[in-house]
């Protein structure tokens, strides 16, 4: 069984300040972890992924995330928020148990960026 | 080509209509997915096709009927829908592999088809 918890449903930051979106996971198997971003009325775009290689993962648009097994966390960070970062962010876990296995989505965190 | 293309982008239909949503990818991906997403909620898995065969059906009502005519196309046929079926329908695809390696387990999503049932 696997699950993912996004600890904040809504995060608001000022432009130019750091972003932290929190995600905790549980998985019976070695997981793959992903962050996807969804802008209003758009599909989902992959930001970054962890697949058992380096624990610090760098993604697009300056985002990065660190896999911490001891804390079962995969928090998403960015040093300096931009207005275009305002969107919904989903943390996703996949148990590595076969080819057609399912992704489990978190409930999402809405990031608001203010001037 | 690194995209998943969904048509139409918007669809309005009555409860007695029959319509279809279409999804196309030319990345050689052999796993294709339909998700349903309600407003302010995460996507919910509906169906998974693996090598053009239905491998997962998440107990979806029969008024939704998927079809995978070939490795590049995925359809979702709609009939006798209810207003609560109004949602964003997302298609996704993935390279079919057991490798836990960079890129192997990544879903590529389309932009979605927004369905309104009157």
């Amino acid at each position: 069984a696997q699950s993912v918890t996004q600890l904040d449903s809504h995060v608001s930051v000022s432009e130019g300040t750091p972003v932290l979106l929190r995600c905790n996971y549980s998985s019976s198997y070695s997981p793959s972890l992903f962050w996807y971003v969804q802008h209003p009325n758009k599909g989902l775009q992959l930001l970054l992924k962890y697949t058992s290689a380096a624990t610090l993962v760098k993604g697009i648009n300056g985002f990065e995330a660190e896999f911490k097994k001891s804390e079962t966390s995969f928090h998403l960070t960015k040093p300096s928020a931009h207005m275009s970062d305002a969107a919904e962010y989903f943390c996703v876990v996949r148990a590595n148990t076969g080819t057609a296995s399912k992704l489990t989505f978190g409930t999402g965190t809405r990031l608001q960026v203010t001037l | 080509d690194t995209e998943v293309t969904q048509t139409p982008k918007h669809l309005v239909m009555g409860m007695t209509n029959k319509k279809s949503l279409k999804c196309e990818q030319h990345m050689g991906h052999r796993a294709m997915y339909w998700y349903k997403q309600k407003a302010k909620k995460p996507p919910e898995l509906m169906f998974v096709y693996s090598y053009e065969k239905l491998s997962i059906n998440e107990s979806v009502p029969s008024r939704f009927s998927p079809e995978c005519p070939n490795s590049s196309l995925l359809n979702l046929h709609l009939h006798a829908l209810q207003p609560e079926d109004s949602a964003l329908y997302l298609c996704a695809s993935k390279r079919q592999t057991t490798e836990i390696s960079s890129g192997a387990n990544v879903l590529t999503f389309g932009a979605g088809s927004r369905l309104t049932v009157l």
Side-chain angles (χ1 to χ4, degrees):
Chain A
Q2 58 192 29
S3 67
V4 60
T5 302
Q6 291 184 244
L7 296 154
D8 307 295
S9 60
H10 183 254
V11 169
S12 182
V13 301
S14 299
E15 189 176 34
T17 64
V19 175
L20 170 64
L21 304 183
R22 297 182 294 166
C23 173
N24 286 94
Y25 71 92
S26 69
S27 177
S28 303
Y29 300 91
S30 174
S32 293
L33 292 156
F34 309 84
W35 277 97
Y36 281 88
V37 61
Q38 186 176 32
H39 288 90
N41 300 310
K42 300 290 186 185
L44 281 77
Q45 180 184 18
L46 179 71
L47 274 180
L48 49 79
K49 58 185 180 290
Y50 166 77
T51 54
S52 77
T55 56
L56 181 61
V57 181
K58 293 188 185 300
I60 62 171
N61 301 335
F63 284 95
E64 62 181 41
E66 186 171 7
F67 174 73
K68 292 187 176 180
K69 186 175 181 179
S70 60
E71 298 176 11
T72 61
S73 69
F74 191 57
H75 302 332
L76 182 70
T77 60
K78 182 173 180 177
S80 176
H82 191 271
M83 294 297 288
S84 61
D85 295 327
E88 189 84 20
Y89 291 79
F90 293 100
C91 182
V92 182
V93 64
R94 177 190 185 273
N96 296 314
T97 59
T99 57
S101 53
K102 297 183 292 184
L103 301 182
T104 299
F105 283 78
T107 50
T109 298
R110 178 160 297 278
L111 176 64
Q112 180 181 16
V113 182
T114 59
L115 287 172
Chain B
D1 188 348
T2 59
E3 288 187 345
V4 175
T5 303
Q6 290 189 243
T7 55
K9 292 193 187 313
H10 300 276
L11 177 64
V12 179
M13 59 186 290
M15 289 190 285
T16 59
N17 292 157
K18 284 186 180 181
K19 297 286 185 183
S20 296
L21 305 180
K22 296 186 184 301
C23 174
E24 188 169 3
Q25 56 85 17
H26 296 286
M27 296 179 279
H29 291 177
R30 301 303 294 276
M32 296 187 75
Y33 302 69
W34 279 116
Y35 284 85
K36 173 183 178 180
Q37 187 180 25
K38 302 284 279 184
K40 301 187 189 303
K41 297 289 186 183
E44 298 174 5
L45 183 65
M46 301 175 72
F47 303 104
V48 181
Y49 273 81
S50 178
Y51 295 100
E52 297 85 70
K53 292 191 185 330
L54 185 64
S55 63
I56 296 176
N57 177 341
E58 290 291 294
S59 303
V60 179
S62 60
R63 57 185 184 269
F64 295 92
S65 175
E67 179 197 19
C68 190
N70 61 55
S71 60
S72 298
L73 293 175
L74 184 67
N75 299 321
L76 186 62
H77 303 299
L78 314 171
H79 175 54
L81 294 193
Q82 304 296 311
E84 59 265 29
D85 296 321
S86 298
L88 181 68
Y89 288 83
L90 294 163
C91 176
S93 69
K94 182 173 78 72
R95 182 160 61 92
Q96 196 67 309
T97 176
T98 56
E99 297 173 24
I100 309 172
S101 61
S102 177
N105 291 324
V106 175
L107 285 190
T108 301
F109 284 85
S113 292
R114 184 160 299 282
L115 173 67
T116 303
V117 182
L118 301 176

